[in-house]
Amino acid sequence: MSKDLKFLQSAFALAQIWSKDPSSKVAAVAVGDTPNLVAWGYNGFPPGIADTENRLFNREVKYSLVLHAEENALANATFPVRTLYVTHPPCQGCALRILGYRSVLRVVCAKPSPEFQDRWQASIKQTLALFEEAGVEYEEIDLWNSLPWTQQSPVP
């Protein structure tokens, strides 16, 4: 299994374990110059803000308080981040924050589902344009066709 798949799979595991968001489990893994320089983040409220049911299940309130996984991973990194692995394509706001961090050279995420792609198409298009203009490499991995246990074996 490649390093990219390992970090992306780690992001998905972190999202399931740590994100309290009832509808969108998102996480990011920030990696430095070597694979042992790692920080991570998930979508959630800032430190000191309680994860109450009223806040988590009220979409308007939740969106006004939540920090995105990319923001948290970059905030947790105490080193220059070179590659950011994210469970979902970054929104335009996160793309700007990634560029503002100034050291990220590459963003890798799972290829989104057609439903996600349709819903967030405008934001993803803006993100890709920003990354291209700034020279940040962007890669989507078709996760479900890349992991050995998701591939169908021929049945005799």
Side-chain angles (χ1 to χ4, degrees), residues 60-130:
E60 187 176 319
V61 172
K62 177 178 70 172
Y63 283 171
S64 72
L65 295 174
V66 75
L67 293 175
H68 288 196
E70 300 92 330
E71 294 175 284
N72 278 320
L74 293 172
N76 290 334
T78 58
F79 51 85
V81 175
R82 302 301 184 212
T83 303
L84 189 64
Y85 295 89
V86 192
T87 55
H88 298 73
C91 67
Q92 180 187 4
C94 283
L96 290 171
R97 288 171 193 85
I98 290 166
L99 296 176
Y101 195 76
R102 293 178 173 78
S103 67
V104 179
L105 304 173
R106 186 167 173 250
V107 175
V108 179
C109 68
K111 182 177 180 178
S113 68
E115 297 80 22
F116 186 94
Q117 182 76 29
D118 287 344
R119 181 175 180 194
W120 298 104
Q121 183 176 12
S123 184
I124 293 170
K125 184 176 179 179
Q126 292 166 335
T127 292
L128 295 177
L130 288 168

Side-chain angles (χ1 to χ4, degrees), residues 1 5 143-153:
M1 181 182 306
L5 281 175
L143 195 62
W144 304 113
N145 289 321
S146 301
L147 297 172
W149 57 84
T150 62
Q151 296 173 2
Q152 296 285 334
S153 311

